[in-house]
Amino acid sequence: MVAGAGFRKNNWGDPVSSPRPKKILIVEDEQDIAQLLKHYLEKDGFHTCLATTGLEALKLVSSEHPDLVILDLMLPHLNGLEVCKTLRHKPETALLPIIMLTAKNEESDTVVGLELGADDYVTKPFSPKTLVARVKSLFRRLERTNDHKPTSLVYGSLQMDLTRHEVTVRGKEVLLTAKEFGLLAHLLRHPGRVLTREVLLNEVWGYDYYGTTRTVDVHVRRLKLKVPLLNDSIVSVKTLGYKLLDQPRV
Ligand code: CA
């Protein structure tokens, strides 16, 4: 018996549906670069959609729900940095993977972009194959993070046991409230990334929480008091929110 078109077979010979192809939003106003990227990504099995301005990018993120965004820095109507910042501000797109395209002379902007939460960047001119490789490697990295649900988190001499709900610093237990624990766990899961107050509020307190972003500030302050190691390691980022440094600053 021959399986119908569009079916693959698993080890037992049953047809299985293929996993949904990942959709990538390409944000680039230079048409030749955009088309080149589209061609190479689609050749590799990705679905794509195109935006040529920052505003269009934000609209397409809402309507197309892409799995990843390739974001050029220089764009008409909201540049790449503004688009990145806006996406990171909204809870539903706060963790959407972003690869920035930058030119060599935009290096300082690249730093700002990474501070704002871009996951990776590629400098122009680049080979499309390199970019496709970076896209795949970012997806692999994210899948590993999702598959691997740790039962403990470590940050310098700090250890969080997520199943026993215990925090120790150099083996000595620190007593935290449930929200302080949740906040610390969220920061430890996203080191190096700027987390806005809105995102923290939604992730730790929940969408239906009836409070203000000041709640986050209060809890960060308490966390720092209880765990001095975090004092210099949780940094506030301008008016945006907080970031846990990749490594504790000691
Ligand atoms: Ca451009």
Side-chain angles (χ1 to χ4, degrees):
M1 202 184 95
V2 178
F7 284 107
R8 290 183 300 128
K9 282 182 170 186
N10 64 14
N11 290 341
W12 294 275
D14 304 323
V16 289
S17 58
S18 317
R20 185 178 69 89
K22 297 250 193 274
K23 193 191 276 180
I24 297 173
L25 170 63
I26 303 164
V27 191
E28 169 63 272
D29 57 326
E30 285 161 77
Q31 272 304 317
D32 45 347
I33 298 181
Q35 290 301 329
L36 195 69
L37 283 177
K38 179 179 156 69
H39 171 78
Y40 274 87
L41 287 166
E42 289 183 354
K43 211 169 92 179
D44 238 287
F46 293 106
H47 284 182
T48 62
C49 45
L50 289 179
T52 51
T53 71
L55 280 178
E56 196 188 350
L58 293 177
K59 274 188 204 147
L60 282 181
V61 165
S62 307
S63 61
E64 295 287 322
H65 304 291
D67 299 292
L68 183 145
V69 181
I70 295 175
L71 181 61
D72 186 39
L73 210 55
M74 297 297 280
L75 291 168
H77 315 307
L78 284 192
N79 66 32
L81 289 181
E82 289 163 320
V83 172
C84 186
K85 190 167 150 186
T86 309
L87 291 176
R88 287 296 174 249
H89 254 293
K90 291 190 198 162
E92 62 274 24
T93 54
L95 299 174
L96 178 64
I98 299 175
I99 297 181
M100 282 196 329
L101 299 182
T102 64
K104 270 225 156 63
N105 57 7
E106 295 165 353
E107 243 156 24
S108 59
D109 287 339
T110 309
V111 174
V112 178
L114 292 173
E115 291 253 302
L116 287 175
D119 296 272
D120 200 358
Y121 72 96
V122 172
T123 313
K124 286 178 176 176
F126 56 86
S127 91
K129 280 184 185 160
T130 306
L131 187 79
V132 173
R134 296 282 271 276
V135 166
K136 287 181 175 171
S137 114
L138 181 55
F139 275 133
R140 272 199 304 274
R141 201 168 88 206
L142 294 168
E143 263 152 35
R144 268 203 305 275
T145 324
N146 291 342
D147 286 352
H148 171 97
K149 290 215 173 70
T151 53
S152 68
L153 296 166
V154 178
Y155 188 70
S157 55
L158 183 150
Q159 193 148 10
M160 278 189 104
D161 187 323
L162 298 173
T163 41
R164 295 167 68 180
H165 250 251
E166 265 177 23
V167 177
T168 55
V169 177
R170 283 185 206 89
K172 235 181 122 189
E173 192 174 356
V174 181
L175 293 175
L176 298 182
T177 65
K179 292 301 175 215
E180 289 162 358
F181 189 92
L183 179 63
L184 180 59
H186 198 76
L187 287 164
L188 256 59
R189 283 193 179 108
H190 304 97
R193 178 170 262 191
V194 179
L195 299 164
T196 64
R197 290 177 177 82
E198 288 80 8
V199 165
L200 288 168
L201 202 62
N202 286 325
E203 292 293 329
V204 181
W205 279 263
Y207 284 87
D208 47 3
Y209 178 73
Y210 197 73
T212 68
T213 49
R214 226 189 91 70
T215 310
V216 178
D217 299 332
V218 171
H219 279 75
V220 167
R221 209 156 46 233
R222 281 200 210 137
L223 208 50
K224 287 182 167 192
L225 276 175
K226 288 187 179 179
V227 188
L229 166 78
L230 300 172
N231 226 335
D232 297 322
S233 306
I234 301 177
V235 294
S236 73
V237 183
K238 294 178 197 121
T239 54
L240 284 173
Y242 294 96
K243 177 171 88 172
L244 180 72
L245 300 178
D246 283 322
Q247 300 287 331
R249 190 184 278 166
V250 277

